[in-house]
Amino acid sequence: MQREGLHAARGRSRTVWKNGQSSLPRFRELGAYHGQGDSRNGVAQLSLCWPWGGGVSQDWSQEGDDLAGVFRKHMVAAAAIRDTRALPPAVKALQTFVRVNVHDVGGPGVILLHVCCFQPHGARLRHSRGLLVTRVGMDRLKVLAGHFVAGGPASELDSRQTSAEASEPPTSIDVKYRARSNINDRGAYEALYKGSIQEPDKFWGKQGSQYAWKQQFQEQHVDCNIDVRRGKIRSRWFAGGLTNLAFNCLDRHVEDGRGDQPCFLWEGNDVGQDRVLTYRDTLAEVCRLGNWLRSQGISKGDVVAIYMPMVAELPIAMLACVRIGAIHNVVFGGFSADALAARVADSRARIIITSSTSVRGKKSTPLKQIVDQACKLASKEGFKVDKVLVLEHSALPKGKTPWTQGRDLWWADELSQQKPQCDVEWLPAEAPSFLLYTSGSTGKPKGVQHSTGGFMVGAGTTAKYVFDLQPGDVFWCTADCGWITGHTYLTYAPLLLGATSVIFEGVPVHPDPGRVWQIVAKYKVRQLYTAPTLIRALEAQDHKWVTKHDRSSLKLLGTVGEPINPRAWQWFHEVVGESRCPIVDTWWQTETGMIMIAALPGAWPLKPGCATLPLFGVLPVLLDSEGKEIKGAGEGVLVLKQAWPAMMQTLLNNQQRFEETYFAPQKGFYFTGDGARRDEDGYIWITGRVDDVINVSGHRVGTAEVEGALSSHAACDEAAVVGVEHKVKGQGIYAFVTLHSDSDYSDATRKELVKLVREQIGAFAAPDTIHWAPGLPKTRSGKILRRVLLKIAKGETKDLGDLSSLADSSVVDKLIERRGK
Ligand code: WTA
């Protein structure tokens, strides 16, 4: 039987070709690449670039409906691939079978060329040059397939797969996935993308009209400036519109008759602890809390701090705030009392919502006790917290929770007295919705402020396209609500689109390393969105922890927070996703509020470790070291040339720092702080931070913050921190510390230093290594040469580069000598 379309490319079963010419041995697909041509105006151009470099570009004229003619011409392009001299040795070494499919995907004149590389399992592939032409339905898919063999010695597949540097050939587009996708054709994307850049009012107006507005926004609703030379930086969207995030997340769906659909599926730390909250249940609890907040005098523009474990009440508290126009400030439950106090005082949050404790795996963190300390610290700084609302956690009941009469109140006692209806506060689109503190290159965390309307539409639109999120889908974002991902893609986007959001309180390895896959099976999760650090931690375990659980519900996998290495990607793709789920690698930031660069997996092929192309309204530019735009392939600093709806509005109380940090470094652009590479296909690869920010398990930690904490030790003279590669965490923290001359360089001091970082920031920021440094490599003007420290930390001490600018180069030898001691 003739196997059709892209699925034939999988080659897992015996493939018998229509012409009966050969029954090919089983093949393993090594990778695929898609070229694209446009055959309008009778002339078509087809460009085909191999991911490992080189490629072909072919012009030909379209001869009406003469498929055979078109095919012959395509084969000219395909024939060029037969010239294996263009291939790098690792690929050339493969005994490779290359198959070419040419698709007319139905769009006006758009032709896709699909090329797959196969490696035969076992049997040696005989030289074969048969060509095959098949027509499968004139209107839909016209498949023209041919195959030929490029000979060569045996395979070295594994070395290719584990090489972190290797640029993987892209995977093919899954046909079934494509069929359901919102956008399933690159041409359709290109057209929409162009519109989003050239006519943002129109494009976003159309997206915005899919939500509920008390008062419709104006037709010309966008007013932005991201060029410091043209005055104040501003990003205003949906001007004139009045809306409410909570209304759009909850009431709208209940009014549409979907009140009984699960909104949150909560899974506790231990197996057997779970809870289903329907949209109606969630709305009622949000209303009770909204009423309670109002009863405490909280209204539009007031800030409420939330410091909670991953219980359903955390997103409920966020929704209650936005319902009444209050601004939430969620502080990650892993932050210390000092860090919490700083964030509460800076945002002037009179109310803190917390829980008696938090349990993750076997470890409890007494959140309420930490809140008590934070309140004391804040009051020393002159800021008083009025009320602390405490949710009773089953692991720490009422009687055992420390209590301050008059200030502390129990969630259940207070909310039981409130009505389950609460009037919505209709807000101008540009009203702030939340604050989220994040690390930067200076010591003080920044209070990133987000809008209401722009954030809402940005969140919903990106989830609709990237995750193909549809009403009723069970979506699991494993991020904590203490980070932006938990805001945008655990709380707001899934609810805006009427999906069901899974909340997990525990850790992936408790009670065993199969916990994540057990939850996937239990709730029949459709889209799983997680971080490379979790993937790497679970990849290290026996595969049976994955395979023993049913993952057939999974249709899409997603990653965020840091670059994903090809090996982890392969494991996620093959073992977890059974090679049938596309993986979307999503690049974005706390400041961007929404995903900015990611694949639409129904529309173009993926490459492992690559975020691929910009989403609607996102105009990425790479700048070279002189600040010049890099056109085409190249590597540089990633900046954005245009404002987008979910863009941060400002830094709380600090417009000046906002402008200096993000818009002054490269005038006319938003500066991301990341480096990136663009390949020959226009795909964007994020290469990591170019500023002093370390990415530990996907959490941003400013080197200056850690250095500040270390320097607060009485014996510490100076500290310098760099990020080094870490097997699981992505990056680990490596600290060079100089003590006062009379101090003792002992293990006890090391422990004290680490403890200080834990206390002042949180356990996740604790240095993995403290390297005793009798002196730091500095220039004559006193600037620390971090690139030298980084090389020493990595053990690359043979080639330290140019050291001539150092005031005292003997420091370097002393540092090398002390490495590992
Ligand atoms: C990094 C998280 C590579 C990047 C949403 C960025 C990534 C920082 C990716 C923002 C990705 C995020 N590939 N790197 N797909 N996604 N990053 O604010 O360095 O916690 O600047 O937001 O994480 O971290 P943040």
Side-chain angles (χ1 to χ4, degrees):
M1 197 189 95
Q2 168 64 41
R3 303 182 72 226
E4 297 166 4
L6 299 175
H7 263 339
R10 297 232 168 271
R12 231 179 255 120
S13 57
R14 199 173 161 84
T15 306
V16 181
W17 299 91
K18 193 181 171 192
N19 62 2
Q21 178 206 42
S22 62
S23 59
L24 299 168
R26 275 191 284 275
F27 291 97
R28 167 172 189 155
E29 187 179 334
L30 299 178
Y33 190 69
H34 296 249
Q36 185 169 345
D38 187 333
S39 64
R40 272 165 286 196
N41 310 324
V43 181
Q45 198 204 32
L46 184 98
S47 299
L48 180 71
C49 310
W50 285 101
W52 46 77
V56 288
S57 184
Q58 200 72 37
D59 281 317
W60 76 98
S61 33
Q62 171 81 319
E63 294 161 0
D65 199 20
D66 175 10
L67 293 179
V70 173
F71 175 66
R72 267 195 304 280
K73 287 186 170 128
H74 282 191
M75 285 311 291
V76 176
I81 304 159
R82 271 191 281 180
D83 182 359
T84 54
R85 281 171 305 182
L87 307 181
V91 180
K92 209 150 93 179
L94 301 174
Q95 186 182 22
T96 310
F97 166 67
V98 182
R99 204 182 82 132
V100 182
N101 284 343
V102 184
H103 303 265
D104 178 337
V105 285
V110 177
I111 292 171
L112 285 181
L113 180 73
H114 180 84
V115 184
C116 297
C117 261
F118 295 93
Q119 181 199 34
H121 283 310
R124 200 180 151 73
L125 186 64
R126 272 186 304 136
H127 190 81
S128 156
R129 274 183 192 228
L131 297 182
L132 167 84
V133 180
T134 322
R135 273 171 81 159
V136 190
M138 272 293 292
D139 301 331
R140 293 289 304 155
L141 192 67
K142 296 166 189 165
V143 180
L144 303 163
H147 66 265
F148 57 90
V149 178
S155 139
E156 278 182 53
L157 179 66
D158 288 339
S159 64
R160 185 189 68 91
Q161 281 188 327
T162 50
S163 158
E165 295 303 313
S167 188
E168 302 274 333
T171 62
S172 53
I173 306 178
D174 188 274
V175 196
K176 276 201 200 136
Y177 190 87
R178 168 180 253 174
R180 198 188 96 134
S181 305
N182 273 302
I183 294 184
N184 54 14
D185 164 33
R186 174 99 180 241
Y189 154 81
E190 302 279 2
L192 274 175
Y193 177 75
K194 209 165 146 198
S196 75
I197 297 296
Q198 291 173 352
E199 295 180 288
D201 287 285
K202 197 164 151 202
F203 177 88
W204 291 106
K206 204 165 161 199
Q207 297 297 330
S209 61
Q210 293 163 29
Y211 302 87
W213 298 83
K214 181 72 176 169
Q215 183 179 299
Q216 189 59 28
F217 49 86
Q218 302 153 11
E219 209 171 301
Q220 297 298 313
H221 60 90
V222 185
D223 172 23
C224 300
N225 172 40
I226 62 163
D227 189 338
V228 276
R229 295 163 301 195
R230 294 204 195 129
K232 194 177 165 190
I233 299 294
R234 59 184 190 280
S235 173
R236 293 199 197 116
W237 299 79
F238 304 104
L242 286 180
T243 191
N244 184 283
L245 264 166
F247 183 90
N248 274 286
C249 285
L250 300 168
D251 307 55
R252 197 161 53 106
H253 306 307
V254 175
E255 284 173 11
D256 284 352
R258 292 221 306 283
D260 294 329
Q261 185 200 304
C263 173
F264 291 123
L265 296 170
W266 176 77
E267 178 76 13
N269 180 61
D270 295 318
V271 177
Q273 297 176 320
D274 54 19
R275 205 177 150 200
V276 178
L277 285 98
T278 64
Y279 269 89
R280 200 188 316 285
D281 300 336
T282 309
L283 175 60
E285 195 69 350
V286 164
C287 285
R288 287 190 197 97
L289 184 57
N291 287 330
W292 179 82
L293 287 168
R294 279 194 175 134
S295 76
Q296 300 300 312
I298 296 291
S299 63
K300 191 174 151 186
D302 292 334
V303 179
V304 174
I306 303 174
Y307 184 65
M308 294 183 104
M310 286 301 286
V311 287
E313 286 80 358
L314 170 43
I316 283 174
M318 294 159 69
L319 289 158
C321 289
V322 295
R323 185 172 195 85
I324 63 163
I327 300 167
H328 57 73
N329 172 11
V330 181
V331 180
F332 172 54
F335 275 117
S336 65
D338 289 41
L340 174 61
R343 287 157 175 76
V344 164
D346 190 62
S347 65
R348 312 203 74 69
R350 289 198 294 112
I351 292 189
I352 303 181
I353 304 179
T354 188
S355 164
S356 56
T357 191
S358 150
V359 190
R360 288 169 48 79
K362 294 197 166 62
K363 190 168 163 264
S364 329
T365 311
L367 294 188
K368 172 60 173 55
Q369 207 177 308
I370 298 172
V371 168
D372 291 347
Q373 286 171 24
C375 288
K376 271 197 204 123
L377 289 166
S379 77
K380 271 196 209 151
E381 301 295 313
F383 181 76
K384 183 168 170 283
V385 174
D386 289 342
K387 290 277 160 19
V388 177
L389 185 69
V390 189
L391 181 80
E392 184 182 8
H393 192 289
S394 57
L396 190 68
K398 279 187 175 178
K400 296 194 171 160
T401 307
W403 210 247
T404 303
Q405 284 301 338
R407 186 197 66 188
D408 300 347
L409 298 161
W410 286 109
W411 174 296
D413 296 351
E414 296 298 312
L415 266 63
S416 61
Q417 296 169 31
Q418 300 294 338
K419 283 193 303 184
Q421 298 86 26
C422 167
D423 287 344
V424 165
E425 179 81 38
W426 295 105
L427 300 162
E430 64 269 23
S433 57
F434 65 87
L435 291 171
L436 187 58
Y437 282 80
T438 190
S439 296
S441 21
T442 58
K444 202 167 168 267
K446 305 174 280 194
V448 170
Q449 179 182 310
H450 277 286
S451 71
T452 295
F455 173 77
M456 172 174 80
V457 180
T461 306
T462 48
K464 179 172 76 175
Y465 291 124
V466 177
F467 302 123
D468 181 37
L469 202 55
Q470 298 182 20
D473 281 358
V474 179
F475 182 79
W476 184 14
C477 163
T478 65
D480 192 289
C481 285
W483 309 109
I484 189 69
T485 310
H487 281 62
T488 313
Y489 297 106
L490 184 144
T491 307
Y492 291 110
L495 272 55
L496 285 168
L497 297 174
T500 297
S501 182
V502 176
I503 308 172
F504 176 42
E505 185 187 15
V507 292
V509 289
H510 174 81
D512 63 49
R515 187 71 163 124
V516 169
W517 321 116
Q518 178 242 328
I519 296 173
V520 165
K522 177 171 173 181
Y523 295 115
K524 299 197 168 33
V525 172
R526 184 180 179 94
Q527 297 98 338
L528 174 69
Y529 188 34
T530 190
T533 184
L534 179 140
I535 298 167
R536 285 191 298 265
L538 295 181
E539 180 210 347
Q541 311 285 341
D542 195 318
H543 289 188
K544 80 165 199 283
W545 292 114
V546 184
T547 50
K548 71 190 272 205
H549 299 288
D550 177 16
R551 290 151 356 270
S552 57
S553 62
L554 284 175
K555 296 290 178 289
L556 179 80
L557 304 170
T559 67
V560 59
E562 49 175 320
I564 179 166
N565 48 313
R567 193 191 145 113
W569 194 98
Q570 293 289 355
W571 179 82
F572 202 33
H573 188 245
E574 285 170 23
V575 180
V576 175
E578 299 171 316
S579 299
R580 62 185 163 73
C581 305
I583 301 179
V584 285
D585 181 345
T586 64
W587 175 83
W588 58 297
Q589 307 178 306
T590 304
E591 293 87 340
T592 69
M594 66 183 212
I595 298 173
M596 304 292 277
I597 304 178
L600 303 185
W604 58 82
L606 308 162
K607 293 185 192 181
C610 179
T612 75
L613 300 173
L615 295 185
F616 304 118
V618 177
L619 194 52
V621 166
L622 299 183
L623 298 180
D624 65 17
S625 53
E626 272 143 38
K628 282 210 197 73
E629 279 193 36
I630 300 169
K631 303 273 185 207
E635 187 164 344
V637 172
L638 177 66
V639 296
L640 303 169
K641 205 174 178 173
Q642 200 158 308
W644 60 97
M647 179 175 142
M648 68 192 298
Q649 293 181 302
T650 188
L651 289 176
L652 183 70
N653 305 325
N654 210 338
Q655 175 77 12
Q656 190 187 341
R657 186 175 176 201
F658 168 62
E659 300 202 356
E660 279 169 5
T661 311
Y662 301 104
F663 303 94
Q666 301 291 349
K667 294 193 175 48
F669 301 99
Y670 165 85
F671 176 69
T672 65
D674 280 311
R677 174 167 70 84
R678 195 191 289 115
D679 69 15
E680 289 78 6
D681 304 320
Y683 277 28
I684 295 172
W685 302 71
I686 307 295
T687 50
R689 301 288 304 192
V690 294
D691 57 4
D692 295 331
V693 171
I694 303 176
N695 196 329
V696 183
S697 302
H699 304 329
R700 274 163 67 169
V701 184
T703 51
E705 275 177 78
V706 182
E707 287 163 5
L710 293 168
S711 305
S712 68
H713 190 285
C716 180
D717 195 19
E718 199 169 20
V721 166
V722 292
V724 286
E725 199 176 317
H726 187 284
K727 243 174 109 183
V728 174
K729 295 194 276 189
Q731 279 193 300
I733 297 181
Y734 195 109
F736 292 86
V737 177
T738 310
L739 300 181
H740 295 313
S741 51
D742 54 348
S743 307
D744 184 16
Y745 283 93
S746 66
D747 276 350
T749 313
R750 260 201 183 103
K751 282 193 185 131
E752 285 166 20
L753 284 164
V754 173
K755 192 162 161 256
L756 269 178
V757 179
R758 286 173 170 267
E759 280 169 9
Q760 291 184 27
I761 307 174
F764 67 94
D768 300 284
T769 310
I770 302 254
H771 185 136
W772 293 132
L776 292 172
K778 288 186 188 164
T779 60
R780 282 173 201 88
S781 58
K783 195 170 167 276
I784 296 173
L785 271 192
R786 282 173 195 275
R787 79 177 156 78
V788 175
L789 289 178
L790 186 61
K791 289 227 162 179
I792 296 174
K794 291 205 275 195
E796 293 169 6
T797 48
K798 289 224 169 67
D799 174 26
L800 291 173
D802 179 15
L803 299 179
S804 59
S805 58
L806 283 181
D808 173 9
S809 59
S810 71
V811 165
V812 172
D813 296 332
K814 286 187 199 138
L815 280 180
I816 295 174
E817 195 187 300
R818 292 229 176 192
R819 198 169 179 275
K821 291 186 186 154

